[in-house]
């Protein structure tokens, strides 16, 4: 078939065919990114709700420091391992690691049901979903290069992580409000930046295979983290405590 194409098809027809194929691959991979991100959010949400409604399980996790820290370390280990070893992993293993990370994160997120009312959690989730969707669309359609903005936001993120760790000892409420406000702004911007970056990567793919699907998993992970962190920072403003 390749020889036939080279010998008998006009160059313009070949270019059109290739362009159509790339567009199809791009659409398939982008759909996979957002489907996997949505499934991961669903896994986290269902897990969090289940754990929150099982008092014995909730108590076993959060009253036992050893169990809690094992989960925290496992969570960090999975996300770092997935990002660092993606080239050596098969696609099924990468997908399983992403699912496992989502479940563990859901277990740790169950604590929000203890602190905040379910109504305010639901309201904040929908506000987050609307904000996230808007910024993802902006990032995907804008012609402006967001690379410089992304670099600034990543540096700002490191700053609020350090500030958060310092405030664990200071317990300064004003600093906590400032950190939360900056967190909302940073992850709102990062959503647009990551959406644009993922689109650029997917546009380079010419077929759907293990390699491109692993890139799509990493893209889904980035957007998942943007959504979760945006949700948690917004919850500090919109959440009603019990």
């Amino acid at each position: 078939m390749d020889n036939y194409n080279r010998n008998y098809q006009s160059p313009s027809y070949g270019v059109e065919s290739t362009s159509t194929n790339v567009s199809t691959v791009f659409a398939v991979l982008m759909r996979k990114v957002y489907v996997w991100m949505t499934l991961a959010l669903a896994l986290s949400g269902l897990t969090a709700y289940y754990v929150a409604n099982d008092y014995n399980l909730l108590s076993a996790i959060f009253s036992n420091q050893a169990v809690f820290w094992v989960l925290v370390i496992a969570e960090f280990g999975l996300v770092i391992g997935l990002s660092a070893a993606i080239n050596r992993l098969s696609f099924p293993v990468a997908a399983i690691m992403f699912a496992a990370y989502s479940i563990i994160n859901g277990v740790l997120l169950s604590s929000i049901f203890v602190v905040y009312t379910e109504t305010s959690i639901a309201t904040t989730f929908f506000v987050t979903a609307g904000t996230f969707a808007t910024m993802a669309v902006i990032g995907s359609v804008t012609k402006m290069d967001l690379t410089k903005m992304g670099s600034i936001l990543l540096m700002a993120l490191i700053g609020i992580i350090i500030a958060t760790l310092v405030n664990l000892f200071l317990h300064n409420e004003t600093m906590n409000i400032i950190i939360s406000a900056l967190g909302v702004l940073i992850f709102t911007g990062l959503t647009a930046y990551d959406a644009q970056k993922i689109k650029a990567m997917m546009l380079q793919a010419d077929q759907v295979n293990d390699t491109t699907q692993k890139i799509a998993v990493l893209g889904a992970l980035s957007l998942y983290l943007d959504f979760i962190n945006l949700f948690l920072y917004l919850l500090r403003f919109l959440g009603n405590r019990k």
Side-chain angles (χ1 to χ4, degrees), residues 128 131-136 149-150 153-154 156-158 160-161 164 179-195 221-234 236:
T128 304
T131 305
F132 177 90
T134 300
M135 297 310 296
M149 183 188 80
L153 290 172
L154 288 172
L157 177 59
I158 294 172
I160 66 166
I161 290 173
T164 300
I179 290 171
S180 298
L182 289 174
V184 170
L185 294 175
I186 288 170
F187 283 103
T188 298
L190 282 176
T191 298
Y193 165 72
D194 284 332
L221 175 61
S222 295
L223 293 175
Y224 168 89
L225 291 172
D226 291 338
F227 189 102
I228 290 293
N229 283 287
L230 179 59
F231 168 74
L232 291 175
Y233 280 114
L234 281 172
R236 295 185 183 185

Side-chain angles (χ1 to χ4, degrees), residues 19-82:
S19 176
T20 301
N21 181 60
V22 170
S23 298
T24 302
V25 169
F26 170 75
V28 169
L29 290 173
M30 287 301 293
R31 184 166 62 248
K32 286 180 180 292
V33 169
Y34 285 98
V35 167
W36 289 334
M37 185 208 77
T38 302
L39 289 175
L41 287 173
L43 270 177
S44 295
L46 291 171
T47 301
Y49 188 77
Y50 175 80
V51 173
N53 284 279
D54 188 328
Y55 177 78
N56 292 329
L57 184 56
L58 191 68
S59 178
I61 294 168
F62 292 99
S63 64
N64 188 321
Q65 286 195 351
V67 173
F68 175 78
W69 283 109
V70 165
L71 289 172
V72 170
I73 293 170
E75 183 181 42
F76 277 101
L78 280 169
V79 74
I80 292 172
L82 180 58

